[in-house]
Amino acid sequence: MDIDYKKQALEAFNTIQTNIGFLGIDHDIRTIMVTSSIKGEGKSTVTSNIANSYAFSQKRVLLVDCDMRNPAVHRVLELPNRKGLADLIMAGREGQDAGDYITHYGPYFDVLTAGHRPPNPTELLGSKRMEALIGLFSGQYDYVILDTPPVLLVPDAIALHPYVDGILLVVRHGYTTKEVLEDCKKAWEVAGTKPSACILNAIPDMQKRYSYYGYYDYEETQPAKGRGKNRRQPVIKREERQEKDMYTSIAKEAKEPHSRKDIHGAEPAEPEFIRKANTSGQGFQRQADRTKRKLH
């Protein structure tokens, strides 16, 4: 991954972070559930990057992997998954010793992995113990972000929605169909709620289509001659470009030595002082020849 793409991704998740703040008009959104419709939409990667964006802003954030059936956060962040959320709930502890299950990923970034796979994930996630844990975590962290399973596969995310302040639905470009989104919408309507926002993931060639700085500079990118990279050239209005091309062509034609036409298309008139100079020179030469013959 090149540096420009990393910067662009960081800007994208910073924008998501800012927009989440605008969603909380009536109340602060501090516990956020991230889900998707089906598998393969990049939900866990998006969730991890959102959490990292908050941590980069020096906000204390806890990322909780609530996908106990197919956990992925520990793989994305390259962390062990020996014990986690399922083990904490099964132990009957409501947060007093939760620190033993939490991994410190960064200065402001903590992670609670999914842990061992239980036989009843939906019941665990919808239990009073889970509600108490979320309440405890929201008192210890600025933001608590939950990575939950896809809505159309299992009911785990539906069971968790009463405990969170906001819901983010991840949709993958060119992958998630309209029919899938309609089914997902119906599932949320049955639960009596709806996602707070939708994140469109994996947009192809976004760097070529859009330029953040170009929007402010009113510039367009054109390929440089003989180079693989692009150079930035100012946008010129069509009328100005046509006028510029016309004058450039006229000036070029006027400078050509073989051309006997001026810029208006007429034959160039010989200046008067040149004709006088040539005439006086010829008269002087004839007078010099007569004087030379007399001397001889």
Side-chain angles (χ1 to χ4, degrees), residues 46-72:
V46 170
T47 307
S48 301
N49 280 282
I50 292 175
N52 183 66
S53 177
Y54 278 114
F56 190 78
S57 302
Q58 297 184 356
K59 303 292 185 181
R60 294 204 63 210
V61 58
L62 175 65
L63 174 58
V64 183
D65 192 348
C66 298
D67 193 347
M68 300 179 183
R69 305 171 190 267
N70 185 25

Side-chain angles (χ1 to χ4, degrees), residues 256-272:
E256 293 179 354
H258 61 273
S259 176
R260 297 293 299 168
K261 293 184 179 181
D262 61 3
I263 60 175
H264 299 290
E267 291 293 335
E270 192 172 14
E272 186 68 16

Side-chain angles (χ1 to χ4, degrees), residues 68 81-87 114-118:
M68 300 179 183
N81 188 32
R82 291 186 292 270
K83 58 181 180 179
L85 178 62
D87 305 282
H116 293 89
R117 180 175 179 177

Side-chain angles (χ1 to χ4, degrees), residues 160-293:
L160 268 174
H161 90 268
Y163 309 146
V164 299
D165 300 325
I167 303 171
L168 301 180
L169 179 66
V170 177
V171 178
R172 183 170 181 175
H173 180 276
Y175 180 84
T176 311
T177 63
K178 181 179 178 181
E179 293 75 14
V180 168
L181 289 177
E182 290 177 349
D183 293 341
C184 183
K185 179 183 178 182
K186 293 177 182 178
W188 286 115
E189 289 176 349
V190 171
T193 185
K194 63 180 181 179
S196 305
C198 179
I199 299 176
L200 184 59
N201 187 33
I203 300 177
D205 298 332
M206 191 173 73
Q207 186 176 6
K208 297 180 181 179
R209 295 184 182 183
Y210 305 101
S211 175
Y212 179 83
Y213 296 100
Y215 175 80
Y216 289 98
D217 293 341
Y218 295 96
E219 293 181 348
E220 62 183 358
T221 301
Q222 298 180 357
K225 295 182 179 180
R227 296 182 181 179
K229 298 182 179 180
N230 290 338
R231 60 180 178 181
R232 306 175 68 83
Q233 296 182 353
V235 175
I236 305 176
K237 294 182 179 180
R238 181 177 299 178
E239 295 81 2
E240 295 176 353
R241 185 184 294 111
Q242 292 176 351
E243 185 178 0
K244 178 181 178 182
D245 294 341
M246 180 184 68
Y247 283 113
T248 302
S249 177
I250 292 174
K252 181 179 180 181
E253 185 178 358
K255 290 180 179 179
E256 293 179 354
H258 61 273
S259 176
R260 297 293 299 168
K261 293 184 179 181
D262 61 3
I263 60 175
H264 299 290
E267 291 293 335
E270 192 172 14
E272 186 68 16
F273 73 90
I274 295 179
R275 291 202 300 270
K276 290 182 178 180
N278 293 338
T279 303
S280 61
Q282 293 173 1
F284 178 80
Q285 184 63 37
R286 286 195 295 269
Q287 182 66 27
D289 291 340
R290 287 197 296 270
T291 304
K292 184 176 181 181
R293 285 196 295 271

Side-chain angles (χ1 to χ4, degrees), residues 11-204:
E11 288 293 338
F13 286 107
N14 287 340
T15 302
I16 292 174
Q17 174 189 339
T18 303
N19 291 338
I20 291 174
F22 285 113
L23 293 175
I25 299 176
D26 298 327
H27 61 280
D28 293 335
I29 297 181
R30 298 179 57 242
T31 56
I32 305 168
M33 180 173 69
V34 184
T35 186
S36 61
S37 302
I38 56 179
K39 183 180 177 181
E41 297 184 274
K43 167 183 58 66
S44 297
T45 302
V46 170
T47 307
S48 301
N49 280 282
I50 292 175
N52 183 66
S53 177
Y54 278 114
F56 190 78
S57 302
Q58 297 184 356
K59 303 292 185 181
R60 294 204 63 210
V61 58
L62 175 65
L63 174 58
V64 183
D65 192 348
C66 298
D67 193 347
M68 300 179 183
R69 305 171 190 267
N70 185 25
V73 170
H74 69 282
R75 294 198 297 268
V76 173
L77 301 179
E78 298 180 355
L79 295 174
N81 188 32
R82 291 186 292 270
K83 58 181 180 179
L85 178 62
D87 305 282
L88 178 59
I89 297 176
M90 293 293 293
R93 302 171 180 175
E94 298 183 357
Q96 291 82 356
D97 300 321
D100 298 336
Y101 297 82
I102 293 176
T103 303
H104 298 285
Y105 187 76
Y108 298 91
F109 194 173
D110 290 348
V111 180
L112 179 59
T113 60
H116 293 89
R117 180 175 179 177
N120 54 344
T122 305
E123 287 77 7
L124 291 182
L125 294 175
S127 64
K128 293 295 182 181
R129 293 181 181 176
M130 183 64 187
E131 182 181 8
L133 282 173
I134 293 178
L136 179 70
F137 293 149
S138 49
Q140 296 176 345
Y141 294 89
D142 296 322
Y143 293 94
V144 179
I145 302 178
L146 310 178
D147 180 23
T148 61
V151 176
L152 297 182
L153 299 184
V154 291
D156 297 1
I158 301 295
L160 268 174
H161 90 268
Y163 309 146
V164 299
D165 300 325
I167 303 171
L168 301 180
L169 179 66
V170 177
V171 178
R172 183 170 181 175
H173 180 276
Y175 180 84
T176 311
T177 63
K178 181 179 178 181
E179 293 75 14
V180 168
L181 289 177
E182 290 177 349
D183 293 341
C184 183
K185 179 183 178 182
K186 293 177 182 178
W188 286 115
E189 289 176 349
V190 171
T193 185
K194 63 180 181 179
S196 305
C198 179
I199 299 176
L200 184 59
N201 187 33
I203 300 177

